[in-house]
Amino acid sequence: MNNRRSKRASGYTFTEADLLAISQDISRQHSPVNQSTPAELVIVPVDPYHLHASWNLSFCVLDDKQLQRNPWLDGFILRVFHLMTGWFDVKVEGLKNDRRLRLPLDDSHYSAEIGVVDLDGQFSCLLRSKNIQVPRAEPVMAVNPLPQPAFDIEKSNQENLSETLQTTVVNDACYPKYSTISQLQPLQFQLPGNDLRNCCFGLNDNPSDKTKSFPLTYSGIGWARKGE
Amino acid sequence: MGAERRITPGFLAIVLHAHLPYVRHLERKGVLQENWLFEAITECYIPLLRMFDGLQKDQPSFRLTLSLSPTLLTLLNDEILKRRYVEYLQRRIQLAQLEVIRNRHHQPFHRLANYYLQFFSETLNAYQYCYQQNLVRAFVRHHHRGNLEIITTAATHAFLPLFSSNEGAVRTQILTGIETFEHVTGIRPRGFWLPECGYYPGLEKLLAEAGINYFFTDTHAITHADVTPILGVNAPLDCGNSVYAFGRDPASSRQVWSSTDGYPGDPYYREYHRDMGFEMEQNMLEPFITEESQPVRTGFKYHRVTGMGGSKQLYEPDRALERATQHAQDFVIDRERDIERLPNEEGDQQPIIVAPYDAELFGHWWFEGPLWLKGVIENISKDSNTLTLCTCSDYLTQCNGIQKALPSASSWGESGYNHYWLSEKNSWIYPHIHAACERMERLAISLPAGSLFERTANQAARSLLLAQASDWPFIMQAETTIDYAIQKIEDALARFNYLCQSVENLQIDERQLSALELLDDIFPTVDYRHYNPASN
């Protein structure tokens, strides 16, 4: 048996009331809500076609050129990179906020930057995230090892891209709307060779086909009916 | 494996995962959430133990896996909670005595009131005299007898995929979980229950570092692996580093979990949601229930599922037992059929069906669950020529040539990934927790020398671990006891912030520190150094 025990020595005695007072005092004075958090951009995979981004720009310093865009009013650009193919931009708001984003391709690595677009149309990165990987949505098929494009590949590339980007809210998740971002000019999703068949850029509208039922709720012991 | 071994075409691994969040309130008596523990002991853990004890007498050979979370182990071993649990049972017995009198002119209710009087009395007797208030020891005894393989999980059941950006956080959850388990049980676990079956590629490396041999995933982690799994979910995968992933069998899950097809929805089983605590005048119940004056579950449930409507018929324990027996037979027949339908593959590997469930389903949510489980074990042990009960360790010892492939990221939650623990209802917690993880890492790297600083850093690590529990975002998403969940996270983070600030300012108030050590008296072997990348 492992008998290693962290050192603790206490000659103090406490009543329930003492402990309650100490607990309440610490919770009041050191509440996480009142604490400053470091400037950072964190992205986390949600499922094969979504990631969650949260950022805190409170401590970022913008230079004059960046400030000319008046980012505090116009918001920021969240640039999401698919590490094999390209990137897309999403307009976001708030120095400290979060947002769920829809992704074009499963089984892929992504990273993100948040920043502003200056008067020259140049993107200035304020914060950069770590890389993440979203899972694959379908089993690997021996005959087709590439990720599956989720939309109809018979359509033209432009149609596919446009259709994908105009799907703004699906399953409670936002995807960049073409028109919104185009006002800022640099909406780009750069695909090598611009060939969907090669790069398998795609969008699955219904990744929740396997949605599982939760008919019972967490109303007591930590239990809820798990998916079937 | 057990004493009598038949050679059968396939294996069945039943895995029960027992977990409760850390719901101990030294600062206040009568906190409602401590009842979660008391209800689970009464309706689940003691019934399971008594079932195992009974099987031990009649059927010396059975094999199950039981995962006991570090938080649950701590709660079960806590002297204050043991005392409060006995008081809880004594109040239930008093209430049952009053119910017997109150229902003396209503024969069916009177019979059920007597049933509950006997149930609570026997439970108290078992707790005090059979198990001497030490349920952990009773489970460990079955481990050493060869009936159970006991394993564990992450320290506070953190949903690990959401902490993957901070390796120190994941490592500390895994190592502290294992060390606490070993400290309490004396057993070094071979298997590891990933909280909510949450897996991401790379996690297997941290498990290997911790000496873990296997873990469990949901079905699609295996079926969506980076190489097509030859036996599908009916065989584990070697993650490439001799850590093995076992996938959940979907049919076994559906028959038990499904709201429409699952056994627990049978009309003759006891109805969970109709509790006397929600139907009687509170002033009648108050002395027996809690110091908080709000409706709570009493454990007195007089009705059966009956059907979908609101009108419920009276519970008949004998009929329910019959149904549990039938359902156990049905389950075994179906699993045998599943094995027989599998194509005969050449090689050493026999198929395995892995059936993992939350332990609290058995007895608490599904009152007849332990009876069903007993029936399944008996049917397989005595009568099956197709199935052998095993644990995953047994299987790995016996089978060679396991396919190498990396499972896909997944969980067993709604829609199969991370959504349930990262949604618009709970996502606000993560920036705070991630910031705390980074602050903890800085603290671990640059902690000043001295035992008081070490104590403070270790207590900060405890607070941070408690803030990471998956239970709180789960509750927020399920919209049940949201205020309590928020309070638990905010308290844990506030304590963490206070402790970090104390170190950073080089001003430690030992009295305050001692109070926090009493309030969060968990993880006796916690080591803040796990957060230091240089020390791993």
Side-chain angles (χ1 to χ4, degrees):
Chain A
M1 191 171 297
N2 182 354
N3 285 318
R4 186 164 63 81
R5 194 177 171 92
S6 305
K7 284 182 186 171
R8 283 193 242 179
S10 173
Y12 300 98
T13 53
F14 299 94
T15 64
E16 278 184 14
D18 293 336
L19 292 172
L20 184 61
I22 290 169
S23 173
Q24 288 176 337
D25 187 49
I26 289 174
S27 292
R28 194 168 44 247
Q29 291 190 37
H30 299 274
S31 164
V33 179
N34 302 329
Q35 297 280 317
S36 60
T37 49
E40 63 175 355
L41 170 63
V42 176
I43 59 171
V44 181
V46 176
D47 61 36
Y49 293 107
H50 297 91
L51 65 76
H52 183 91
S54 62
W55 60 91
N56 178 9
L57 292 162
S58 308
F59 299 96
C60 289
V61 178
L62 279 76
D63 61 30
D64 291 343
K65 201 175 176 186
Q66 290 166 337
L67 279 171
Q68 284 172 20
R69 274 301 303 165
N70 196 3
W72 317 119
L73 294 178
D74 284 359
F76 301 93
I77 295 297
L78 186 65
R79 177 161 290 185
V80 181
F81 295 87
H82 178 267
L83 298 190
M84 295 294 286
T85 58
W87 47 269
F88 61 84
D89 286 347
V90 187
K91 187 176 175 183
V92 296
E93 292 175 349
L95 288 171
K96 195 173 178 181
N97 210 340
D98 63 344
R99 184 157 171 187
R100 185 174 287 196
L101 296 175
R102 191 161 171 76
L103 301 170
L105 198 64
D106 73 321
D107 192 18
S108 301
H109 288 81
Y110 291 91
S111 69
E113 292 177 352
I114 193 165
V116 293
V117 175
D118 63 25
L119 291 175
D120 302 329
Q122 293 299 308
F123 177 77
S124 300
C125 173
L126 297 170
L127 291 172
R128 187 169 286 122
S129 77
K130 293 179 182 174
N131 293 351
I132 61 159
Q133 182 181 11
V134 293
R136 65 184 59 84
E138 302 291 337
V140 171
M141 304 299 288
V143 291
N144 183 12
L146 289 173
Q148 295 295 296
F151 51 69
D152 181 5
I153 60 170
E154 295 305 316
K155 290 182 185 173
S156 73
N157 292 351
Q158 190 55 44
E159 276 180 306
N160 284 328
L161 194 60
S162 176
E163 181 182 294
T164 300
L165 297 181
Q166 286 180 17
T167 308
T168 52
V169 179
V170 180
N171 297 330
D172 193 31
C174 294
Y175 192 79
K177 190 173 182 179
Y178 189 79
S179 57
T180 307
I181 304 298
S182 64
Q183 292 164 6
L184 290 172
Q185 194 272 325
L187 171 75
Q188 297 171 50
F189 203 106
Q190 299 170 335
L191 305 171
N194 204 23
D195 187 343
L196 290 171
R197 288 165 205 269
N198 288 336
C199 71
C200 295
F201 162 69
L203 172 72
N204 184 342
D205 270 340
N206 190 12
S208 60
D209 283 346
K210 297 184 288 296
T211 296
K212 300 171 179 181
S213 61
F214 269 71
L216 300 178
T217 55
Y218 193 115
S219 57
I221 288 174
W223 184 87
R225 192 179 291 270
K226 293 303 185 296
E228 58 210 47
Chain B
M1 296 195 201
E4 295 176 27
R5 285 285 142 235
R6 292 185 303 272
I7 297 173
T8 58
F11 294 103
L12 173 65
I14 295 175
V15 184
L16 304 181
H17 171 56
H19 164 67
L20 284 178
Y22 191 62
V23 287
R24 169 184 175 274
H25 291 270
L26 195 59
E27 78 285 6
R28 220 156 22 110
K29 209 175 172 187
V31 173
L32 194 58
Q33 282 71 23
E34 285 183 356
N35 281 6
W36 296 353
L37 173 69
F38 304 153
E39 290 168 13
I41 293 175
T42 307
E43 295 177 336
C44 175
Y45 308 141
I46 287 180
L48 283 176
L49 274 170
R50 296 181 75 186
M51 187 267 282
F52 295 149
D53 291 345
L55 280 170
Q56 172 75 30
K57 285 178 191 159
D58 305 335
Q59 183 66 42
S61 169
F62 65 94
R63 287 290 272 164
L64 298 179
T65 303
L66 177 67
S67 161
L68 294 168
S69 78
T71 46
L72 176 62
L73 287 168
T74 306
L75 296 173
L76 289 175
N77 270 359
D78 188 274
E79 293 303 323
I80 291 162
L81 290 174
K82 285 179 181 180
R83 199 164 57 238
R84 288 179 182 172
Y85 177 58
V86 170
E87 291 167 7
Y88 167 92
L89 277 179
Q90 287 168 339
R91 286 196 300 271
R92 291 298 180 278
I93 291 166
Q94 288 171 6
L95 184 57
Q97 289 165 339
L98 288 179
E99 278 297 283
V100 170
I101 296 168
R102 185 174 73 91
N103 290 303
R104 62 191 178 280
H105 301 306
H106 307 281
Q107 190 52 34
F109 282 96
H110 186 252
R111 199 163 46 237
L112 280 171
N114 267 313
Y115 173 83
Y116 284 117
L117 177 59
Q118 185 179 350
F119 174 76
F120 287 118
S121 302
E122 285 180 0
T123 302
L124 179 60
N125 187 55
Y127 185 69
Q128 288 195 299
Y129 302 111
C130 296
Y131 304 122
Q132 296 173 322
Q133 300 192 5
N134 194 336
L135 300 187
V136 175
R137 188 174 56 200
F139 283 122
V140 168
R141 196 177 297 141
H142 280 287
H143 175 96
H144 291 307
R145 284 175 182 162
N147 302 327
L148 297 181
E149 179 177 340
I150 301 181
I151 62 170
T152 194
T153 183
T156 56
H157 211 257
F159 186 67
L160 301 179
L162 296 183
F163 298 100
S164 59
S165 62
N166 189 312
E167 198 169 83
V170 177
R171 179 182 288 112
T172 307
Q173 278 282 343
I174 293 171
L175 292 178
T176 307
I178 292 170
E179 287 162 1
T180 304
F181 176 81
E182 194 175 1
H183 180 84
V184 174
T185 65
I187 297 165
R188 186 79 187 169
R190 291 188 64 188
F192 195 85
W193 179 268
L194 294 179
E196 312 295 356
C197 291
Y199 170 78
Y200 63 92
L203 193 48
E204 71 285 348
K205 292 175 190 160
L206 295 175
L207 293 171
E209 279 176 23
I212 291 296
N213 200 210
Y214 67 88
F215 61 93
F216 299 96
T217 68
D218 202 1
T219 312
H220 54 299
I222 304 297
T223 56
H224 294 191
D226 64 349
V227 177
T228 303
I230 296 165
L231 286 176
V233 79
N234 294 116
L237 293 176
D238 177 350
C239 297
N241 60 350
S242 297
V243 175
Y244 299 87
F246 286 83
R248 177 165 72 146
D249 173 54
S252 303
S253 297
R254 191 166 48 247
Q255 280 182 297
V256 175
W257 287 113
S258 168
S259 60
T260 50
D261 312 329
Y263 299 131
D266 186 273
Y268 283 96
Y269 287 144
R270 195 179 79 159
E271 170 64 58
Y272 173 81
H273 295 282
R274 280 287 294 271
D275 189 290
M276 191 176 76
F278 302 121
E279 297 175 357
M280 284 186 70
E281 299 263 341
Q282 285 306 299
N283 58 3
M284 292 179 67
L285 294 172
E286 224 162 63
F288 308 102
I289 303 305
T290 174
E291 290 179 2
E292 295 189 12
S293 54
Q294 55 179 303
V296 291
R297 282 184 300 278
T298 60
F300 290 75
K301 300 172 200 289
Y302 288 120
H303 299 89
R304 59 186 175 90
V305 172
T306 311
M308 295 296 284
S311 174
K312 302 289 182 189
Q313 295 177 24
L314 278 184
Y315 180 55
E316 301 170 64
D318 292 341
R319 290 296 299 273
L321 172 60
E322 285 174 23
R323 296 299 288 158
T325 306
Q326 290 165 4
H327 285 151
Q329 285 173 346
D330 180 69
F331 182 85
V332 173
I333 289 168
D334 282 355
R335 296 294 79 74
E336 289 177 333
R337 202 173 290 150
D338 291 343
I339 290 291
E340 286 158 2
R341 278 178 186 157
L342 288 171
N344 289 322
E345 297 286 342
E346 290 185 3
D348 296 332
Q349 214 173 343
Q350 287 172 273
I352 181 170
I353 293 171
V354 178
Y357 307 105
D358 276 339
E360 292 77 20
L361 171 66
F362 296 90
H364 178 64
W365 291 90
W366 179 17
F367 191 57
E368 299 79 7
L371 297 172
W372 173 85
L373 189 55
K374 180 170 183 276
V376 169
I377 294 167
E378 286 175 338
N379 272 288
I380 293 175
S381 302
K382 289 177 182 168
D383 300 328
S384 181
N385 293 317
T386 307
L387 285 171
T388 301
L389 281 172
C390 76
T391 69
C392 293
S393 288
D394 300 336
Y395 184 86
L396 292 172
T397 304
Q398 180 153 325
C399 290
N400 300 314
I402 292 171
Q403 186 184 1
K404 285 188 178 171
L406 199 60
S408 181
S410 52
S411 84
W412 77 352
E414 188 180 43
S415 53
Y417 297 97
N418 304 346
H419 162 74
Y420 211 82
W421 296 271
L422 182 65
S423 71
E424 61 181 10
K425 294 173 187 166
N426 52 31
S427 62
W428 63 270
I429 69 174
Y430 293 102
H432 296 294
I433 300 176
H434 284 301
C437 291
E438 288 177 14
R439 194 175 182 186
M440 186 71 224
E441 194 173 310
R442 290 195 297 275
L443 194 77
I445 291 168
S446 59
L447 189 76
S451 63
L452 203 54
F453 285 116
E454 287 202 0
R455 267 177 65 193
T456 309
N458 281 332
Q459 194 59 32
R462 289 186 186 99
S463 297
L464 181 53
L465 287 165
L466 289 168
Q468 293 166 345
S470 65
D471 310 274
W472 315 132
F474 186 101
I475 289 173
M476 292 174 201
Q477 177 67 14
E479 295 185 320
T480 52
T481 52
I482 298 175
D483 291 344
Y484 182 74
I486 292 173
Q487 192 64 50
K488 289 293 281 186
I489 286 197
E490 290 192 343
D491 283 350
L493 286 174
R495 290 170 191 181
F496 172 82
N497 290 334
Y498 166 75
L499 292 160
C500 284
Q501 187 180 301
S502 302
V503 174
E504 288 157 4
N505 294 343
L506 305 177
Q507 284 183 334
I508 293 170
D509 180 333
E510 191 176 3
R511 182 173 182 273
Q512 300 269 90
L513 172 62
S514 300
L516 292 179
E517 286 173 336
L518 280 174
L519 285 165
D520 294 331
D521 190 9
I522 188 170
F523 309 134
T525 62
V526 73
D527 189 345
Y528 71 90
R529 293 178 193 84
H530 292 326
Y531 268 95
N532 185 348
S535 69
N536 293 291

